[in-house]
Each structure stands twice: as C-alpha cells, then as structure tokens.
Amino acid sequence: MSSFNPYTQNGGTILAIAGADFSVVAGDTRQSEGYNIQTRYAPKVFRLTDRAVLAVNGFAADGNMFVKKVKQRLEWYRHAHAKDMPLRSIARLIQTMLYSRRFFPYYVYNILGGIEEDGSGAVYSFDPVGSYERETCRAAGPAQSLLQPFLDNQIYFKNQQPAPGMSHPTHLPLQAVLALVIDSFTSATERHIEVGDGLEMYIILGKGRGLQGLEGVKGVQELTISEDGERIFVVRRELKKD
Amino acid sequence: MDHFPTNWGRPRNDMFDAYGTYPIHQRPDNRPKDTFADSVQRTQQPIVTGTSVLAIKFKDGIMMAADNLASYGSLARFKDVQRLHPVGRYTVIGAGGDMSDFQHIQHILEEVQIAESTQQDGHELGPVEIHEYMSQVMYARRSKLDPLWNSLLIGGFKDGKRFLSYVDLLGTTYSASTLATGFGAYIAQPLLRKAVEGHEDDLTAEQAQNILEYCMRVLFYRDARSLDKYQIATITAEGVNISGSLKLQTSWDFAENIRGYGAQTQ
Amino acid sequence: MTSIGTGYDLSASTYSPDGRIFQVEYATKAVENSGTAIGLRVKDGIVLGVEKLIHSKLLVPGANRRIQTVDRHIGMATAGLLADGRNVANRARDESSQIRGLWREPPTVKELADRLALYAQAYTLYSSVRPFGISTIFGGVDKTGPSLFVVEPSGVCLGYHGAAVGKGRQLAKTELEKLKLSELSMREAVIEAARIIYIVHDDNKEKEFELEMSWAGDETGGLHVPVPADLLAEAEQKAREALETFE
C-alpha cells in the first residue's frame, strides 16, 4: 500500500532583486498541480510590514500557513515593542521557524525582500529548512533554472567584460530592475508551463528616496501604512494564460 | 543454554510450541494478531468514494453540481448519496473523495454551528468562515499524517458577496470563478472556463444550470465512476436551495457504430 | 436552623448527625434569593420565562441573560448564582455534544437533564467544592415531544408540566396549577408565562425587572430561540393589564 504523501508542488515562480536603496519582489499568480491550472490568481508575494515583503513558493498549503505564522509573529513583536521588526531580524526569525520543522519541513522556498535599518535594499533567500543568506538577487521555483543564469548575467554581470578602464555597477537603477523582472517573467511564461497568468511586483523604496524609476509605470498602487518611512508599492501585469 | 530440564533433548517448533518446551513466560506467541497490533494505523486510503463536484459563479450567486454516486472501487455501491451539503443559511459544501470522511466533516461542521448558535450573539458563519475553518481542519489533519481524504468545494452567498473556494486533503486552497474536483478537473474545468470566465456577472441562473447540466452529461459519458443522477445547489441572496435528484438525458445511439462496443461480430 | 455553628455545615462531604448536608441546603437558599424562573410544557412546545431583577440602572438592557441555549432544540433558565448558571450551561453544551457524537442524533431533554443532575450531584460529595447555587429548568423539544425538567442543587432531577424556581416559586406554582397546560398552545403559554412573572414580581420590595422569555416547539421549527420582540411586547402588555384585575 502506498503511503500518504503530505506534499505536492504547486508551480509558479518568484524573484527578488535588491537595489542600492530599494528592493523589488515579484511572483506570478498561477497555482497549478501537475498539468492542471488550479487558479489563475493565487498570490505568492505578501506584504509583511512597510519595509518587508515575503515571497513563498513550493507547496502552496505550507506556504500559506507559513506566511500566516510569520505575520502572527510580527504582530506579536509589534505588540511587545511598538515598532515593526527590522528586516534582518525577520530573516533570522524565518530561519528559526523553518528549522524548527527540520524533520517535517515546510516544503517552501522563501525569498524576503525589503529595506534594512541602514537604508540599503536587501534580499534574503532561504531553503526549506532555513539555510539563508543575503544576496542582491535570487529566483526560486520551477523556473529558477531559467531565470537565475539570466539574472547572474544581467545583475552580477557574469561572463561580461567591462570596457577598458570601466567597471560594472554594483547596483542597477529601479527602472532597469523593473524591466528585468518583467522580461524575466514573460520569458519564463514562454518556456515554462507552470508560469503565467499574472505578475505581481512589490517595490519597497528606502526612507526619503524619491519615486524615480516609478514614473510612467502603469497601474502602480501604494500599500504604505505608516508615514515618513519606507514606502511600498505593488504593480500588477498580465502574463500569457496558455 | 536452556536451563529448563524438560526441554533437553526435545524437538522444537519455533512457530508453535506443541511440546510445551518453552517455559510459560517465553513461549512463542503466534496467535492471529489484532488488526491494530502493528501500532496505530493512520495513513489510509479512500474506500467508498464520490467523484467530481462542479461549481461556478453566476449573476446572482454560486451554482454547484454533484452526482449521487458513491463507489466502492469500480463497483457503483450507493446510488442515492447526497454530496452537496448545506451548512447554515449561506453555504453549501460539496465533496469528492471518501464519503465516510465527508460524513465526519458534516458532523464537525454541525458541532461548530451549534457551538456558534448557542452563543445567541446574532453572528452566523458564512462561506468565508466555513472555508477558513475547513482549510485549517484539512491542513491540521494532513500534518498529523491522518488526512480527511476529500476534495471540497465551498460555495456561498452572504452580505451581498459571492464566495467560491476549494480545499483538499493536503490543505491546498484556491478560489476561482469555476472550480471542479476529481475527474471533473480534467474534463469539465476547461468547458466551464470557456463558458463562464468573463461572464460571471451576466450568466442567469438558467444559463448556469444549463452549463452545469452539459458538463455533468459529458462527465457521465466519460467518467466511469459517475452517475446520471445528480443534484444542483444554488446559493443566492434568497439563501440555499438544493434540488432533488435530477436525471441526465443521454443517448447511446453512437455506440452501435463503434467497433468492439456494439453487436458487431467482426 | 439550630444546627448552625455545630461544625457540620462547613463541608459538603460531611453529614450532620440527623442526616443532612447543610451545604446543599445553603445552596438552595441561594436559589430562593434569586428572581423567579418558570417553565411551561404545553401542547406543541415549551416556554421559559425569567424575572430578571435589575440591580443597577447602569446595566445595558438585555445584559446578563439567565436563559441560555444548550443545543439547537434545548434551552435552560436558571435561578440563583448567575455565574454558576454559565458554568452549568457550558457543561450542558459539552454533554449535549458528547451525546450527539455517541448517538449521531439530537439528545433528548431528559438525557441531558439526567447528565447535569449527575454533574450537580457530584458537587455535593467533596469537601473541596461547593454545590451549585442554582436550580435549572431545562426545556426543549425532542423525539419524545416537548419536555421540561428541573435540576436542583442536590442533584435531584424531575420532569414537570409546569415548573417554577426562585423567590416567587410558590405563587407561580399556584398560578401554573390553574392552567390546563396540556391544552395550551405555545402562543397562549407565552402570554400566561408573562402574566405569571408579572404577578410574582413584588413591586414594593424589588427594584426594576426585565422579562426574559424563550420558547421551543412547532412555532419555532423545533429550535430554542428568544420569543420574538412583538410577541413579547404583546405578552407584557397583557400581563400589565391582568395585573390591574388580579386579587
């Protein structure tokens, strides 16, 4: 008798890129199982605070439960300390929460994006049992193998030789990052059956930074709650549904 | 070394100690074992099962359909089973998968509703709450590796809002304007999407029922675990209405022309 | 009570030499200080009525309900300590749920009242607990029809056509006896119940009171629910009129 398998894979892909003073976290909205599209709109990216966004990918039921529990812990933190938890602390919290289930893991790849206390844009990526590191960019999910080499090339300038006397920039401007994100997802949609339907991009801007890079972007919706701090926006785009 | 003198020099059968060669306290026990002797068994498999449930949004609310069959493997075991179950005044829950687990779900929902209603605070559970509750129950049970072996569709209408969502034995949830479980996810879902997506606010109850009836018919033709007796649940501002048993009109004339199906000899 | 001060009234686990358990009798006293609660078992259902004394004008109307719902089809009214009533109601809900789980059918009022009688009786056995300071009227409709039971602090449980507990129970019982309970309809019973509560209420001694009423039976589709506001208002109106001509 085959035993019950408590896991499944629900497709979709997530991606985050950090700038000098901003961070972008994106994910598609398709949820699937095998060849079935379960729904065309199931968010995978969640606002945690005004300066932290979490993207989850893998087993959707675990993902939703995990986000629920992280949000709960952040609320308790607010009640205890009357402020939002800093990004690096959220990252460590996520590690301990994931590792606490080391022997019955949340089958979820997490990417946390936002602004650090020093004002820099940051991305943290996790494996299902809590190993994590801070990075400039990361893609996860079934289309990771399509996106990560592209990002390595475009953001870390891997396999690119700078012009004589020049050097590669360490951070890209917001406009360029948004273009890369959109291109990444349209490409992944073309080549991976589990990616598509819709794209949600969360953009977190550092304190006092202007909106440069967001002008002219269609359908920007602000989600910021508190004033005089980091600002957070979401942009939605359609992706091919086939 | 066996220090029991009566055992010395005797033949020994380790499966059954016919000669009583063992001292009583270490005599082999080969009696038939109790069903649960190998510790508690949690993981199960569905036994008596229901097949697809279909549900769509339409202008005035939600419409759902499920046939009346509960199968025992490939045997059509129970042909008068209701798989659409009203929960309170605003919600219907439709189930595929194990029917005894579904009965258990009906029971816990009854308990929850009584617990809520005895508060007499004027609050009633709507489809949103029922779905959240069922998601937590299903996820908790899968996390105990003791799942309730069902795919559930939860549809409802409360406070002027339609609600339609799914949850299954893994605790996976999602919502969409058309949903189908089981074989229906393969056969009916594409048909439903074509007919409903983009028309959720225009479809009349009659059109919605026609779409569901069409899909139920296709399922009856194609799904070997389905039945031509089915029910339709409609949830609108007027409340919950679950139809009596409806019969699908089918035609099997074409079968005559299929080689190996009809009466042809060659 | 000549035996007071002899030491036999300090614990529910000790009899007095003449075979009494004083803690139980004191609990009964707590019930007698409370506003009256009545229950009527009639042709097609049951009606519960409570004279809820308002001990402060600052209280929100409808607060501190003394009629509670145990299961869809069963309600209870208490006379005595309000908090004990809450505890018993919660226990009753658990018992009801347990009976349902066992038999997969709604419990009968008798089954439930019997269980709560056992519960009340257990609180007369130990020195570490005190008996409940309430008498509870359980009323509802089940497969046997309408039924009404009273559970006393001692753990005694008896069925009635009409029941009254609390301060005005004597007068209420006299009034109930005059009625042909098995011929009344639920609606008529509501009117009578309201009238009795109004008669029983002692205007001179007591402060304000709120009339709290619920019913279960054919009129309510077998559910235990509060009596609708319009019917309650009508009943109160008639009760006040009847009061004029009483005695």
Side-chain angles (χ1 to χ4, degrees), chain C residues 36-38 163-164 168-177 196 200:
Chain C
T36 317
I38 60 171
R169 69 191 178 290
Q170 288 305 348
L171 184 49
K173 281 178 186 170
T174 317
E175 288 299 313
L176 284 167
E177 281 169 13
I196 293 171
V200 157

Side-chain angles (χ1 to χ4, degrees), chain B residues 103-104 107 110-111 113-114 117-120, chain C residues 69-72 93 97 100-101 104 224 226:
Chain B
Q103 288 184 351
H104 175 65
H107 182 248
E110 171 101 352
E111 290 286 296
Q113 286 201 93
I114 292 170
S117 70
T118 51
Q119 296 305 121
Q120 302 248 300
Chain C
T69 305
V70 172
D71 202 329
R72 284 194 215 282
R93 287 167 190 151
S97 154
R100 243 174 216 281
R104 291 290 151 108
H224 175 254

Side-chain angles (χ1 to χ4, degrees), chain C:
Chain C
M1 289 209 181
T2 49
S3 317
I4 292 177
T6 53
Y8 293 106
D9 61 348
L10 297 178
S11 163
S13 67
T14 308
Y15 283 107
S16 79
D18 45 351
R20 294 154 62 183
I21 298 164
F22 285 110
Q23 281 298 321
V24 172
E25 294 181 24
Y26 297 161
T28 313
K29 289 278 175 214
V31 178
E32 288 168 11
N33 291 332
S34 149
T36 317
I38 60 171
L40 286 75
R41 191 188 102 165
V42 294
K43 196 172 51 186
D44 54 350
I46 60 99
V47 172
L48 300 176
V50 161
E51 170 207 18
K52 190 173 76 192
L53 300 172
I54 306 298
H55 54 270
S56 164
K57 284 193 189 315
L58 297 174
L59 280 169
V60 175
N64 298 327
R65 293 181 60 101
R66 278 171 51 196
I67 296 181
Q68 300 179 80
T69 305
V70 172
D71 202 329
R72 284 194 215 282
H73 61 299
I74 302 176
M76 57 176 258
T78 56
L81 305 179
L82 195 75
D84 283 17
R86 295 270 155 76
N87 179 277
V88 167
N90 282 327
R91 176 70 183 211
R93 287 167 190 151
D94 287 351
E95 295 282 1
S96 192
S97 154
Q98 206 186 87
I99 294 169
R100 243 174 216 281
L102 188 60
W103 301 104
R104 291 290 151 108
E105 65 176 20
T108 61
V109 183
K110 183 176 191 306
E111 268 179 300
L112 193 78
D114 278 345
R115 290 255 192 143
L116 279 123
L118 289 179
Y119 185 56
Q121 196 270 344
Y123 276 70
T124 68
L125 294 174
Y126 306 100
S127 56
S128 54
V129 293
R130 62 166 175 78
F132 288 107
I134 51 166
S135 284
T136 313
I137 306 176
F138 288 96
V141 277
D142 51 47
K143 61 185 178 189
T144 68
S147 56
L148 193 72
F149 287 83
V150 176
V151 175
E152 310 280 0
S154 61
V156 155
C157 171
L158 295 167
Y160 291 90
H161 283 284
V165 293
K167 196 176 292 182
R169 69 191 178 290
Q170 288 305 348
L171 184 49
K173 281 178 186 170
T174 317
E175 288 299 313
L176 284 167
E177 281 169 13
K178 293 179 193 167
L179 301 171
K180 288 185 170 148
L181 285 164
S182 50
E183 291 169 23
L184 288 184
S185 71
M186 287 173 71
R187 281 183 178 273
E188 289 164 343
V190 167
I191 306 292
E192 296 299 340
R195 186 179 62 81
I196 293 171
I197 293 292
Y198 267 82
I199 290 171
V200 157
H201 179 70
D202 191 341
D203 255 344
N204 309 320
K205 265 198 259 164
E206 295 298 340
K207 329 108 211 188
E208 299 279 292
F209 81 103
E210 244 179 57
L211 174 62
E212 204 179 305
M213 286 216 287
S214 72
W215 59 350
D218 291 354
E219 293 270 356
T220 66
L223 301 180
H224 175 254
V225 289
V227 169
D230 53 344
L231 180 58
L232 184 64
E234 182 195 333
E236 286 195 88
Q237 178 62 34
K238 287 191 173 156
R240 274 190 285 268
E241 284 165 17
L243 208 54
E244 307 282 308
T245 57
F246 186 67
E247 290 159 342

Side-chain angles (χ1 to χ4, degrees), chain A residues 202-234:
Chain A
Y202 282 70
I203 300 144
I204 312 103
L205 302 181
K207 200 180 288 187
R209 182 194 188 278
L211 294 180
Q212 56 273 30
L214 268 187
E215 326 82 341
V217 179
K218 280 178 292 177
V220 183
Q221 186 192 341
E222 180 154 8
L223 303 173
T224 317
I225 288 178
S226 57
E227 284 176 30
D228 310 323
E230 292 77 7
R231 295 177 73 183
I232 178 168
F233 302 85
V234 64

Side-chain angles (χ1 to χ4, degrees), chain B residues 83 85-87 92-113 130 133-135 137-138 141 147-154 167-169, chain C residues 104:
Chain B
R83 299 196 290 123
H85 176 70
V87 184
V92 169
I93 180 163
D98 193 276
M99 286 296 109
S100 63
D101 282 352
F102 182 47
Q103 288 184 351
H104 175 65
I105 287 168
Q106 292 176 16
H107 182 248
I108 59 177
L109 285 174
E110 171 101 352
E111 290 286 296
V112 169
Q113 286 201 93
I130 300 289
Y133 181 81
M134 279 320 300
S135 314
V137 169
M138 300 297 272
R141 289 293 295 261
L148 295 170
W149 214 287
N150 298 102
S151 305
L152 305 171
L153 295 189
I154 292 156
V167 59
D168 66 13
L169 71 166
Chain C
R104 291 290 151 108

Side-chain angles (χ1 to χ4, degrees), chain A residues 1 3-8 10 31 33 36-41 59 61-62 64-65 68 101 104 106, chain B residues 43 45 132 136 139 142-143 145 147 149 168-176 179 185-186 189 193 197:
Chain A
M1 192 182 86
S3 67
F4 171 63
N5 175 199
Y7 294 112
T8 189
N10 294 108
Q31 191 180 109
E33 189 172 12
N36 290 320
I37 295 173
Q38 295 181 316
T39 178
R40 300 191 192 279
Y41 185 72
F59 174 34
D62 270 353
N64 290 330
M65 180 55 71
K68 190 176 182 147
R101 287 279 296 267
F104 186 19
Y106 288 111
Chain B
T43 20
Q45 47 179 336
E132 179 65 25
Q136 298 295 319
Y139 183 80
R142 87 97 216 186
S143 298
L145 300 184
W149 214 287
D168 66 13
L169 71 166
L170 292 174
T172 309
T173 57
Y174 50 88
S175 50
L179 290 177
Y186 299 90
Q189 181 69 294
R193 284 192 180 141
E197 271 185 6

